[in-house]
Amino acid sequence: MLNRVAVLSDIHGVLPALEAVLAEPDVAAADLIVLTGDIAAGPQPVEVLDLLAGLGDRVCWVGGNADRELVEARAGRKLPIEVSNWAAQQLRADHLDRLAALPLSVTLEVDGLGPVLFCHATPRDDEEVVLVDTRMSRWAEVLADVPAEVRTIVCGHTHMPFTRLADRRLVVNAGSVGMPYGGQGAYWVLLGPGVQLRRTDFDVDAACARVTAESTFPDAAGFADEYVRSPHSDAEALAVFAPRDGR
């Protein structure tokens, strides 16, 4: 049984944002850090993976679509997102082996919540879209194969934090550490015995300057401006994602 679990999702290779969250006292004191996917696809993939790997057994890794796609890109697939094509070429063999072996989901016992299922997008698919306002019939379909004893599901993928009930289950989206939609900062979740949506403030200008200076991605500055500064509102992001949830 884990007393406290910190959930970090969608880091997307942004080292300063990850460092800011790892410096949080509640993250440092957590029994476990769970990563719910899309860890390295961004401007500092090697640095992010090495920092997390250095934490050893304090970290539980779950795979996301972008992690899978980095492995596929290294094997020759051309991705539509240029930073992912670039990031895939930066990775060492040990990085690729780790990403290739990531599970689709992990279930852990958390104090006050019982068995909690952690996944990236949905329990059955690493890129399926569900949103805070997704209709109930869609949630029922997506969660149909989740064991009855699992009453809490924690995910990421859409970069917008929320909690909601879906047919007696609590669904929690951890938001995004490195690529948030809806506001600046690094978003994450603290579990046990309840659920806390958390946001870590950091110096965004300094972080963007670091990404630009330290990354060899040709458009590192553009990436930082587009994603670390979080110019896109949650309303804009929901409008883009909505057609993908089957509505």
Side-chain angles (χ1 to χ4, degrees):
M1 175 76 71
L2 299 163
N3 292 318
R4 296 288 186 276
V5 175
V7 186
L8 282 56
S9 193
D10 296 274
I11 300 164
H12 278 285
V14 179
L15 183 64
L18 172 61
E19 289 176 338
V21 174
L22 292 178
E24 287 276 13
D26 283 338
V27 176
D31 299 318
L32 189 68
I33 297 169
V34 177
L35 310 173
T36 51
D38 284 14
I39 300 158
Q44 296 169 290
V46 170
E47 296 88 340
V48 162
L49 288 173
D50 285 348
L51 176 56
L52 291 168
L55 298 176
D57 292 341
R58 288 205 63 233
V59 179
C60 175
W61 304 60
V62 175
N65 61 295
D67 306 306
R68 169 176 53 79
E69 289 164 358
L70 289 180
V71 177
E72 294 170 353
R74 189 59 171 266
R77 178 188 173 193
K78 178 69 173 178
L79 301 174
I81 301 173
E82 195 50 46
V83 72
S84 293
N85 289 311
W86 172 86
Q89 301 310 311
Q90 313 309 307
L91 302 182
R92 302 189 304 265
D94 60 303
H95 297 141
L96 293 166
D97 289 345
R98 179 184 288 276
L99 294 181
L102 294 182
L104 182 64
S105 69
V106 169
T107 300
L108 302 168
E109 290 274 346
V110 180
D111 180 38
L113 299 170
V116 177
L117 188 151
F118 299 86
C119 60
H120 177 62
T122 72
R124 66 183 187 178
D125 191 285
D126 66 13
E127 57 185 350
E128 194 169 34
V129 169
V130 281
L131 303 162
V132 66
D133 60 346
T134 291
R135 70 192 188 282
M136 193 62 72
S137 60
R138 167 78 165 165
W139 279 109
E141 173 194 339
V142 163
L143 302 179
D145 294 331
V146 176
E149 64 270 17
V150 174
R151 312 312 303 168
T152 304
I153 295 95
V154 181
C155 61
H157 187 47
T158 57
H159 302 200
M160 292 170 282
F162 68 78
T163 62
R164 67 157 291 173
L165 283 173
D167 194 18
R168 297 177 183 264
R169 284 189 166 107
L170 181 65
V171 179
V172 181
N173 191 303
S176 174
V177 170
M179 195 185 287
Y181 299 143
Q184 292 183 352
Y187 293 79
W188 54 284
V189 162
L190 185 66
L191 302 178
V195 176
Q196 298 180 42
L197 298 181
R198 303 288 289 269
R199 178 172 67 89
T200 297
D201 286 319
F202 58 91
D203 187 330
V204 172
D205 289 338
C208 290
R210 274 190 62 194
V211 169
T212 301
E214 297 173 15
S215 174
T216 60
F217 176 54
D219 192 26
F223 179 99
D225 284 340
E226 180 77 7
Y227 297 114
V228 181
R229 293 192 188 279
S230 190
H232 304 294
S233 75
D234 54 316
E236 292 168 332
L238 283 169
V240 171
F241 280 120
R244 294 175 54 192
D245 84 340
R247 66 184 66 190

